[in-house]
Amino acid sequence: MSRALRPACAAFAVVLSACGGRGPSDDPRPTVATAEVVRGTMTLSRDGATESVEGRTRVETGHRVETAADGRGALSLDSGAWVLVDRSSALSLELARAALEHGRVWVDASQSDETVLDTPALHLVAHDATLAVASDGGSTHVYVGSGEVAFTAV
């Protein structure tokens, strides 16, 4: 490297470090769904950062999805399942899998091979099914509209 370029490279490095870098937790993760607000407020959070869903928004693996008391939202999972999230609900997403912490969801898994839904009390596996699941954190209520849903207690 020529002597004339060294000060310019050093200055460029200082400017880059001053701008801040993206830490490992800020790196984008693979996306697993698309979120859309039906009404009210719906948020996505990960690693302490929270953002409101406005319009169609991609959801990264591990994101926590939460609806406010006035909110409802829809999730289109990349695996083909569709999830309607009721008000005051919280769940986290992975590919073809959701973990409902509390609240209520309606799942249409009729267009996916297999969809897994975990609650604090049950592990559910839906095959070509539609179902409603409500959890208060301790107990879980399941209504199967169609198809096959297998479950095991956690």
Side-chain angles (χ1 to χ4, degrees), residues 78-112:
D78 292 350
S79 63
W82 182 81
V83 180
L84 179 63
V85 184
D86 201 8
R87 62 184 174 265
S88 301
S89 298
L91 65 153
S92 58
L93 295 178
E94 302 292 334
L95 185 61
R97 174 185 296 266
L100 180 64
E101 296 171 25
H102 63 81
R104 188 169 59 172
V105 295
W106 171 261
V107 180
D108 181 350
S110 60
Q111 301 299 312
S112 65

Side-chain angles (χ1 to χ4, degrees), residues 2 6 9 24-25 32 76 85 131 144:
S2 73
R6 285 184 187 162
C9 289
S25 64
V32 294
S76 297
V85 184
L131 63 148
V144 179

Side-chain angles (χ1 to χ4, degrees), residues 47 51 110 112 142:
D47 300 331
E51 65 179 283
S110 60
S112 65
V142 180

Side-chain angles (χ1 to χ4, degrees), residues 10-25:
F12 184 68
V14 169
V15 169
L16 280 179
S17 65
C19 290
R22 291 172 53 126
S25 64

Side-chain angles (χ1 to χ4, degrees), residues 7-154:
C9 289
F12 184 68
V14 169
V15 169
L16 280 179
S17 65
C19 290
R22 291 172 53 126
S25 64
D26 294 338
D27 289 342
R29 296 181 184 172
T31 58
V32 294
T34 301
E36 195 165 8
V37 174
V38 174
R39 76 171 66 108
T41 305
M42 180 181 198
T43 59
L44 301 175
S45 59
R46 182 185 78 158
D47 300 331
T50 301
E51 65 179 283
S52 291
V53 175
E54 296 180 18
R56 294 176 55 88
T57 304
R58 291 297 294 164
V59 180
E60 295 176 358
T61 187
H63 257 136
R64 184 173 192 264
V65 179
E66 190 167 5
T67 54
D70 68 341
R72 284 200 172 93
L75 300 168
S76 297
L77 277 59
D78 292 350
S79 63
W82 182 81
V83 180
L84 179 63
V85 184
D86 201 8
R87 62 184 174 265
S88 301
S89 298
L91 65 153
S92 58
L93 295 178
E94 302 292 334
L95 185 61
R97 174 185 296 266
L100 180 64
E101 296 171 25
H102 63 81
R104 188 169 59 172
V105 295
W106 171 261
V107 180
D108 181 350
S110 60
Q111 301 299 312
S112 65
D113 291 333
E114 177 179 284
T115 301
V116 175
L117 182 64
D118 292 315
T119 72
L122 291 176
H123 172 78
L124 303 155
V125 181
H127 295 275
D128 192 27
T130 58
L131 63 148
V133 180
S135 176
D136 62 10
S139 63
T140 299
H141 300 275
V142 180
Y143 168 80
V144 179
S146 65
E148 178 184 326
V149 178
F151 69 94
T152 55
V154 176

